[in-house]
Amino acid sequence: MSFTSFVWEIGNISNKSSRKRHRLRRGQAHINPEASFSSSPGSPGSSTVQIEQRKWANLPPELLLDIIQRVEQREQCWPGRRDVVACASVCRSWREITKDIVKTPELCGFLTFPISLKQPGPRDTPIQCFIRRERATSTFRLYMGLSPGELSKLLLAAKRVRRATGTDFVISLVGDDFSRSSNKYVGKLRSNFLGTKFNIFDSQPSTDSTVCSSCELCRKTHPGKVAPRVTTSNYNTAKISYELNILRTRGPRRMQCIMNSIPVSAIEEGGTAPTPTAFTNCLDEHSSPLLDSAGRRPQVGSTSRSMQNVPLVLKNKAPRWHEQLQCWCLNFKGRVTVASVKNFQLVAAVEPSENVTITEQENVILQFGKIGKDIFTMDYCYPLSAFQAFAICLSSFDTKPVCE
């Protein structure tokens, strides 16, 4: 059997077992390696699934490691990257080895599993994506790829919901389910009435340690009690503000982003950004989402003088006025082709006392721009994640009559 046929057989067995599990446990995402794939002992079809998985789980670890490494090294982009996901969907032993082999986007520059959308991007080369706006349905879809003409992978989708006091952009892993109680829900963006201030809400905290501590506390406080199904929690992880243009002067929008979940030390030499390793769903109505060492419940992104946990602040890069073109210009390196007030580039806004090099201060962390009707590019890199970058770009689509 050729290596390609071997990989396809793995995918077929994974799909068959996933369809069986889907009938048993509706709503569980079979491509999510963090999910549990085991069936209850007495459930129908559980023996068939266990037999199929046992056949592949009994492979020698050295051989299994070599197989998955070959698949991971060969498939460097989508849709071929789905073969790596198929390996993680075979059984528990395959999943654990695949998770050890596949690195985070910061280290490898690839988006593989759903949790990769919550992890920081690469430090050197930005991940290039594009956003398609659908006016009829008020939805926005984020795709992996250089241009809409290529075979692209859907990463995230958002739906705009207008309220009496503002606007919500509900963000999901799929394009047809925007329920906040769904396991596809990843967060939302909320604006004020004028569309000048926004808050990014994440469905989980920025670090796994706080989640683990809260789960342990819940188990100790309520032993043997089954947690009820509740709506997914929201954690305020960033704030976006647009400067008012009262005098109606000509020029692009001016914005500022306070990333409460990312410390400014992340862009210093040797610094690291929070990197979640799994989606969390263990919180219930009795547990505190975040606890400090004293058992108190601080706000997400609160600063600590001892830790010098000052949040990272991003600002839009100032454009220059082009006399011949009679417009404001930024160097998007060919990724933006249509002039629009929505176009922007974000760089770090740091104080002189902070240990951040000039190179890091001039590095473009996120750029967003128009290339056609309802088509926009989005390029992001460390320390932002795809979810955070997408939420910031969504703020540019909201109406801002007092900022233009």
Side-chain angles (χ1 to χ4, degrees):
M1 180 186 299
S2 65
F3 185 70
T4 303
S5 302
F6 179 73
V7 173
W8 275 108
E9 185 176 349
I10 293 172
N12 291 334
I13 291 177
S14 174
N15 292 334
K16 290 178 182 178
S17 59
S18 297
R19 285 194 292 269
K20 292 183 179 69
R21 289 189 298 269
H22 181 73
R23 290 194 296 267
L24 297 175
R25 303 177 68 179
R26 177 176 293 181
Q28 188 173 9
H30 69 275
I31 66 170
N32 188 352
E34 292 84 8
S36 174
F37 295 107
S38 59
S39 304
S40 56
S43 60
S46 60
S47 59
T48 305
V49 174
Q50 292 175 359
I51 292 174
E52 288 183 350
Q53 291 189 356
R54 191 181 303 119
K55 179 170 60 175
W56 297 99
N58 292 332
L59 288 177
E62 296 79 7
L63 177 59
L64 181 57
L65 181 64
D66 182 65
I67 292 173
I68 299 179
Q69 283 180 339
R70 291 189 183 187
V71 175
E72 201 276 335
Q73 292 173 3
R74 187 190 64 176
E75 305 298 347
Q76 301 293 326
C77 58
W78 289 91
R81 199 73 178 166
R82 64 186 177 187
D83 291 341
V84 181
V85 180
C87 291
S89 304
V90 173
C91 60
R92 186 178 299 275
S93 59
W94 284 63
R95 183 164 66 253
E96 295 301 325
I97 293 180
T98 304
K99 289 170 63 176
D100 292 338
I101 293 175
V102 177
K103 304 302 181 183
T104 62
E106 179 185 350
L107 301 177
C108 69
F110 305 127
L111 297 175
T112 306
F113 301 124
I115 193 60
S116 302
L117 302 172
K118 294 289 187 76
Q119 297 173 340
R123 292 178 180 263
D124 300 327
T125 305
I127 294 180
Q128 296 179 324
C129 313
F130 69 90
I131 299 174
R132 184 185 297 274
R133 174 175 57 182
E134 299 179 3
R135 297 176 182 266
T137 58
S138 297
T139 57
F140 306 83
R141 301 175 187 271
L142 176 67
Y143 293 91
M144 164 73 75
L146 297 176
S147 64
E150 299 179 355
L151 186 60
S152 306
K153 163 69 176 175
L154 177 65
L155 300 178
L156 292 169
K159 185 175 182 62
R160 177 163 52 192
V161 181
R162 297 192 182 277
R163 302 177 294 106
T165 57
T167 304
D168 281 357
F169 290 85
V170 183
I171 305 175
S172 172
L173 291 173
V174 296
D176 56 357
D177 185 3
F178 297 97
S179 173
R180 296 175 189 175
S181 60
S182 171
N183 60 353
K184 305 298 190 297
Y185 173 79
V186 294
K188 68 179 180 180
L189 175 73
R190 169 166 290 184
S191 74
N192 63 354
F193 179 75
L194 297 176
T196 58
K197 296 183 182 299
F198 296 80
N199 289 292
I200 299 177
F201 294 92
D202 200 337
S203 60
Q204 67 181 58
S206 57
T207 57
D208 294 336
S209 59
T210 54
V211 178
C212 295
S213 62
S214 64
C215 294
E216 292 296 332
L217 176 66
C218 177
R219 282 191 287 268
K220 293 177 181 179
T221 308
H222 307 277
K225 186 175 181 179
V226 179
R229 180 179 178 84
V230 295
T231 305
T232 306
S233 301
N234 287 308
Y235 301 89
N236 192 341
T237 59
K239 296 182 179 180
I240 308 170
S241 59
Y242 287 82
E243 187 175 325
L244 298 178
N245 189 4
I246 305 298
L247 301 178
R248 315 294 293 179
T249 57
R250 295 181 62 187
R253 297 171 178 170
R254 282 176 284 188
M255 61 186 297
Q256 184 183 71
C257 304
I258 302 177
M259 310 303 298
N260 294 326
S261 60
I262 304 177
V264 69
S265 60
I267 62 174
E268 297 178 355
E269 186 176 357
T272 58
T275 305
T277 57
F279 284 103
T280 56
N281 56 2
C282 61
L283 297 179
D284 61 20
E285 61 182 1
H286 300 289
S287 63
S288 300
L290 293 174
L291 297 172
D292 59 13
S293 57
R296 297 184 298 268
R297 180 180 176 179
Q299 295 181 353
V300 176
S302 60
T303 59
S304 174
R305 293 184 180 180
S306 60
M307 298 293 294
Q308 296 182 352
N309 191 17
V310 179
L312 174 66
V313 179
L314 305 178
K315 65 177 182 179
N316 62 315
K317 192 174 183 179
R320 60 180 181 85
W321 178 257
H322 199 290
E323 291 293 340
Q324 295 180 347
L325 299 178
Q326 290 295 299
C327 65
W328 296 95
C329 295
L330 282 171
N331 183 14
F332 288 96
K333 298 181 179 179
R335 289 284 290 160
V336 177
T337 57
V338 180
S340 174
V341 71
K342 296 180 176 63
N343 302 346
F344 66 81
Q345 289 180 331
L346 292 185
V347 296
V350 297
E351 299 293 336
S353 58
E354 295 168 347
N355 186 24
V356 179
T357 63
I358 301 298
T359 303
E360 285 292 339
Q361 296 180 30
E362 296 177 352
N363 180 44
V364 176
I365 297 176
L366 170 64
Q367 74 173 20
F368 170 79
K370 190 174 184 179
I371 59 174
K373 184 179 180 180
D374 297 327
I375 301 294
F376 303 81
T377 59
M378 186 195 87
D379 302 341
Y380 77 98
C381 61
Y382 177 90
L384 290 182
S385 65
F387 165 73
Q388 294 167 335
F390 185 45
I392 294 174
C393 293
L394 288 174
S395 69
S396 186
F397 288 105
D398 202 26
T399 305
K400 302 173 181 59
V402 296
C403 298
E404 302 172 358

